[in-house]
């Protein structure tokens, strides 16, 4: 009914059998599924409380290195303040350390990409508060690819608290100054607050950038084809540069699709 784990270089305390028997009796009376005991680590002079005994089928292991037992129901845990095991490693184990490094690299290396894709899913599904937290975690990894980092920064520039957005977009511009997207979203942020002179400055910077010659798989095509141009025209009108606005109007590519709004009387046909 119960399992008890030990390391190969552990020794049991002399009174361990009685301590464990008494602990299991106590756990059965209290309805506990996991029992923690004291664990003396001789070479480090540590005496932590470690989860050691588990009722069958009532918990699972967590962590691939320095594993720990966890009860399915966290409140079903009792602690016994007695030492049952003494850890006695025979010196530093280089092979164990190398093994642990390999395991940890296997866990950590894909972490930044996994966080990026998680943040993207949260962004696309409108879970902005969750996206905000996941995005900040992704940015903590220096190994996060440049284009992915740029995406994360521009997304934060759109969904972070308003007082932070320009900071994130500024970081995106510093990271990849040859791209329009961060400038465009900066202009959008200024427009939300009616700061049209700043809108004009930011969107003019975007318009000054040609389509990148480098291939960026996450390039926002609409910003390069019409969105930046559209906002630039609006900004020009708002700051009194009407001649510039007329030039943009004439240079704008002809629309490929006409949208016709259905009449109010026939919504079912729409």
């Amino acid at each position: 009914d119960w399992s008890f784990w030990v390391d190969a270089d552990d020794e049991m305390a002399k009174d361990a059998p009685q301590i464990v028997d008494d602990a299991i009796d106590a756990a059965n009376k209290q309805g506990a599924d996991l029992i923690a005991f004291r664990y003396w680590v001789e070479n480090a002079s540590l005496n932590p409380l470690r989860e050691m005994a588990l009722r069958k089928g009532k918990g699972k292991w967590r962590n691939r290195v320095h594993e720990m037992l966890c009860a399915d129901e966290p409140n079903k845990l009792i602690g016994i303040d007695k030492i049952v095991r003494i850890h006695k490693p025979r010196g530093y184990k280089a092979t164990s350390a190398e093994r642990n490094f390999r395991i940890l690299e296997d866990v950590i290396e894909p972490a930044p990409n996994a966080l990026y894709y998680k943040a993207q899913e949260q962004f696309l599904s409108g879970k902005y508060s969750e996206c905000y937290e996941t995005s900040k975690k992704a940015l903590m990894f220096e190994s996060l690819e440049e284009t992915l980092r740029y995406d994360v920064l521009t997304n934060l520039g759109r969904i972070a608290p308003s007082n932070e957005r320009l900071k994130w977009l500024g970081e995106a511009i510093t990271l990849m100054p040859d791209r329009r997207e961060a400038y465009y979203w900066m202009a959008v942020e200024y427009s939300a607050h009616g700061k049209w002179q700043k809108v004009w400055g930011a969107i003019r910077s975007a318009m000054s950038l040609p389509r990148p010659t480098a291939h960026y798989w996450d390039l926002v095509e609409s910003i390069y084809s019409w969105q930046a141009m559209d906002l630039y025209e609006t900004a020009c009108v708002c700051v009194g540069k009407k001649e510039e606005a007329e030039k943009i109007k004439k240079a704008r590519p002809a629309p490929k699709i006409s949208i016709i709004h259905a009449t109010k009387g026939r919504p079912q046909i729409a």
Side-chain angles (χ1 to χ4, degrees), residues 122-241:
Q122 290 166 340
F123 178 81
L124 294 170
S125 57
K127 297 176 180 177
Y128 296 145
S129 59
E130 293 173 30
C131 176
Y132 176 74
E133 296 301 330
T134 306
S135 296
K136 288 199 296 181
K137 288 175 185 174
L139 292 175
M140 290 170 67
F141 288 86
E142 290 183 9
S143 58
L144 184 65
E145 184 193 328
E146 191 177 63
T147 50
L148 305 187
R149 185 175 292 275
Y150 187 83
D151 259 356
V152 171
L153 289 168
T154 52
N155 284 348
L156 282 171
R158 297 164 67 185
I159 58 94
S162 188
N163 63 325
E164 291 183 21
R165 293 181 184 181
L166 295 176
K167 174 180 80 81
W168 297 117
L169 292 169
E171 287 187 29
I173 289 168
T174 302
L175 179 67
M176 302 183 84
D178 61 329
R179 295 184 60 167
R180 285 188 183 185
E181 289 93 330
Y183 283 111
Y184 174 78
W185 291 116
M186 188 174 280
V188 170
E189 178 63 19
Y190 282 133
S191 71
H193 301 282
K195 298 178 179 179
W196 286 99
Q197 198 66 46
K198 290 189 174 183
V199 175
W200 180 79
I203 201 63
R204 191 164 181 262
S205 296
M207 289 294 293
S208 70
L209 295 170
R211 185 187 181 86
T213 53
H215 171 70
Y216 297 129
W217 66 269
D218 58 346
L219 200 77
V220 182
E221 186 62 43
S222 57
I223 290 176
Y224 290 87
S225 59
W226 67 272
Q227 279 185 308
M229 189 180 289
D230 187 66
L231 186 53
Y232 183 48
E233 183 188 337
T234 303
C236 285
V237 170
C238 290
V239 298
K241 298 184 182 291

Side-chain angles (χ1 to χ4, degrees), residues 12-66:
M12 304 305 293
K14 288 181 181 178
D15 51 352
Q18 190 61 54
I19 293 171
V20 173
D21 282 345
D22 291 345
I24 288 173
D25 287 342
N28 286 332
K29 287 176 184 175
Q30 296 177 41
D33 295 328
L34 185 59
I35 308 170
F37 299 90
R38 287 288 175 193
Y39 181 50
W40 176 244
V41 185
E42 196 171 67
N43 64 330
S45 297
L46 296 173
N47 189 19
L49 198 65
R50 292 294 306 273
E51 298 82 356
M52 299 184 200
L54 176 72
R55 192 187 299 275
K56 186 177 180 179
K58 296 295 182 179
K60 55 184 174 292
W61 289 99
R62 191 169 289 169
N63 303 338
R64 292 181 64 186
V65 172
H66 300 298

